[in-house]
Amino acid sequence: MSDDETRIRALITHWADSVHRGDLDGVLADHAEDLVMYDVPPPHEGIHGLAAYRAAWPPFFEWQAQGARFEIDTLDVTAGTDTAYAHALLRCGTPEELAERPTLRLRLTFGLRKEHGRWLVAHEHHSFPHD
C-alpha cells in the first residue's frame, strides 16, 4: 500500500469515527470548501459547499443518538498523484434495523484531490441498495 493510500485510509477512518461520535469538527476536517455530496435523504440534487455539508449532519447525529451504528465494514482506496477515490461498505442502522437486515450496508464513495500536499474530500456519495 502506498503512503497516499495509507493517509487516505486514515482520513476516512477518522471521518467515520467522527461521524459515529457525533463530532462535527472531525466530520468536516479534510473536506474541500467546494465539496459536493449526494446523500440518502434530500435534497436529491446534492449538497454543494462546506457550509451546506455542515448543516446536513445534526439531524443524522440526532438519529444516531438512538444507539445506531456507523462503522466501516470494507474500505478500498486507489490513489494517483493528485486525485484518488475510495469506496466502502458501512454498517449503518439501529440495532433493530441491523437485526432485521443483518447484511444491509451503506455504500460510500469518496473522490479526493491533493492540494499543497494534503488530501481533501471533494466528492462524497452515500446510498443504500433498493431491494
Side-chain angles (χ1 to χ4, degrees):
M1 187 177 317
S2 75
D3 286 345
D4 284 326
E5 289 169 346
T6 300
R7 283 190 278 170
I8 292 167
R9 182 175 290 279
L11 180 155
I12 293 170
T13 300
H14 178 264
W15 172 86
D17 290 344
S18 295
V19 170
H20 183 68
R21 288 191 319 273
D23 172 8
L24 186 56
D25 289 336
V27 171
L28 298 173
D30 303 311
H31 281 69
E33 285 290 331
D34 61 347
L35 166 79
V36 174
M37 179 179 73
Y38 297 114
D39 202 359
V40 174
H44 298 296
E45 65 275 5
I47 292 171
H48 298 261
L50 199 55
Y53 183 75
R54 172 189 290 276
W57 283 103
F60 182 83
F61 293 154
E62 288 176 26
W63 169 81
Q64 189 176 238
Q66 302 171 40
R69 293 172 68 183
F70 190 88
E71 46 190 49
I72 295 173
D73 187 27
T74 65
L75 173 60
D76 293 295
V77 176
T78 301
T81 304
D82 57 3
T83 58
Y85 68 91
H87 55 90
L89 296 174
L90 289 85
R91 286 182 194 85
C92 179
T94 64
E96 297 80 18
E97 292 167 334
L98 294 172
E100 183 179 313
R101 299 182 67 197
T103 62
L104 181 65
R105 297 293 183 267
L106 175 69
R107 301 175 296 195
L108 174 68
T109 305
F110 279 117
L112 302 98
R113 67 177 181 249
K114 190 186 280 187
E115 292 183 2
H116 309 289
R118 178 178 170 215
W119 286 103
L120 296 175
V121 176
H123 178 78
E124 213 173 288
H125 188 128
H126 309 191
S127 67
F128 279 107
H130 287 284
D131 293 337

